[in-house]
Amino acid sequence: MNDSIPVIRAVDHGTAKLMPDVDRERAWLLTVDGAPQSYVDLDEPTHLEFEYARRLGHVLDTVAEGGRPLDVLHLGGGAFTLPRYLAATRPGSRQDVVEADRGLLDLVAQHLPVPAGTGITPHAADARGWLEKAPAASADVLVADVFGGSRVPAHLTTLSYAREAGRVLRADGVYLANLADAAPFAFLRSQLATFAEVFEHLAVIAEPAVLRGRRFGNAVLVASRHPLDVPPLARRTASDAFPARVEHGPALREFIGDARPVTEGEAVPSPVPPTGAFGIG
């Protein structure tokens, strides 16, 4: 039973709230302006509560042989859910976490500190600015989970941004992004078209109802220059407590259709989610 009390604080980009989970002794939900950002169990870092986080976790589990340390760049920090997960599942990994909201970083450091020796290094910086200065071929995995409130910022959706991601990743590296959209999927299709210009192999992981256009929801984009090992990923996502489907190959190309890559002048944030789309209205 978690007897902790909520923490509410004004941060750089809104009002952050840490809510204790009454069912787990040291677990917390982080929201910013009411939008869920992270869920962390300090006693069990491998516990991934959010559906999209579980899907990102499945990819991270399958991008290399189990337990092998990775060099990972996280764009978007929140409460460091995935960096903690990787530190537990792939000890020895080196992880840079870039978060634009310094106040949020301070809040997390105070109330949900990352244990020493985990190889996780936080940086208070804009994600795109940091990426453009990062060394070439320096990351095995790049995870983009950046939301301004509940929307992906426009400057993280363009072809030039995708090219920077490709530059920073090693030849066998993998790009992952948490996106959100609904039918007719103008945003998601444009993102797929954009990353298809840089990466030969793409996949999307989402709940079947989302892919069928029945509701707004998250979709995890996976992009790589080398073939993705889809079967084990598909098995993991299908057997999850929150089943999802992996779309790739011809079906995904058909989904992209006539969508075009996003230029700097055309870039817009991801769509505004409907009220209550992520469980908090």
Side-chain angles (χ1 to χ4, degrees):
M1 183 76 173
N2 194 336
D3 296 324
S4 303
I5 62 173
V7 177
I8 302 174
R9 182 181 297 178
V11 292
D12 297 1
H13 300 137
T15 299
K17 180 184 291 187
L18 286 172
M19 295 290 295
D21 186 335
V22 297
D23 295 321
R24 303 176 75 93
E25 187 173 351
R26 292 211 305 152
W28 297 83
L29 170 68
L30 168 68
T31 68
V32 176
D33 290 341
Q37 300 291 323
S38 300
Y39 179 100
V40 169
D41 187 330
L42 298 177
D43 291 330
E44 192 178 345
T46 58
H47 175 74
L48 300 176
E49 181 78 8
F50 292 172
E51 295 177 25
Y52 84 84
R54 295 171 70 92
R55 289 158 194 162
L56 288 168
H58 292 319
V59 181
L60 293 170
D61 289 343
T62 57
V63 294
E65 57 269 26
R68 192 190 99 188
L70 298 172
D71 293 334
V72 184
L73 173 58
H74 299 265
L75 302 181
F80 291 42
T81 303
L82 285 174
R84 298 171 201 261
Y85 177 84
L86 269 170
T89 59
R90 296 182 179 273
S93 294
R94 294 184 299 176
Q95 302 186 74
D96 288 299
V97 183
V98 182
E99 170 59 57
D101 194 319
R102 185 180 295 274
L104 185 59
L105 283 176
D106 292 343
L107 175 68
V108 171
Q110 179 181 353
H111 293 278
L112 309 175
V114 175
T118 55
I120 299 170
T121 305
H123 307 274
D126 173 75
R128 174 91 176 250
W130 178 272
L131 184 67
E132 290 172 349
K133 296 176 182 177
S138 58
D140 297 308
V141 181
L142 196 165
V143 182
D145 187 12
V146 184
F147 281 75
S150 56
R151 306 178 74 184
V152 178
H155 70 304
L156 302 181
T157 68
T158 68
L159 180 56
S160 55
Y161 162 77
R163 286 174 174 152
E164 285 296 323
R167 180 187 65 81
V168 171
L169 283 167
R170 294 174 178 141
D172 60 350
V174 178
Y175 177 87
L176 304 177
N178 176 31
L179 306 173
D181 201 1
F185 300 111
F187 176 76
L188 180 58
R189 291 171 62 239
S190 74
Q191 288 304 283
L192 289 165
T194 298
F195 279 85
E197 292 288 304
V198 180
F199 299 94
E200 182 179 354
H201 302 279
L202 301 178
V204 166
I205 310 170
E207 183 184 338
V210 172
L211 291 172
R212 294 189 188 109
R214 293 180 180 172
R215 70 175 186 84
F216 186 96
N218 292 92
V220 169
L221 165 64
V222 186
S224 175
R225 295 189 184 93
H226 65 90
L228 298 165
D229 193 6
V230 172
L233 180 59
R235 287 194 294 270
R236 282 173 176 261
T237 57
S239 62
D240 192 273
F242 304 99
R245 195 168 77 219
V246 180
E247 288 288 4
H248 64 105
L252 193 59
R253 289 193 291 273
E254 182 178 349
F255 177 82
I256 296 171
D258 59 358
R260 298 181 297 107
V262 179
T263 66
E264 293 293 324
E266 299 171 327
V268 296
S270 63
V272 177
T275 300
F278 298 122
I280 295 182

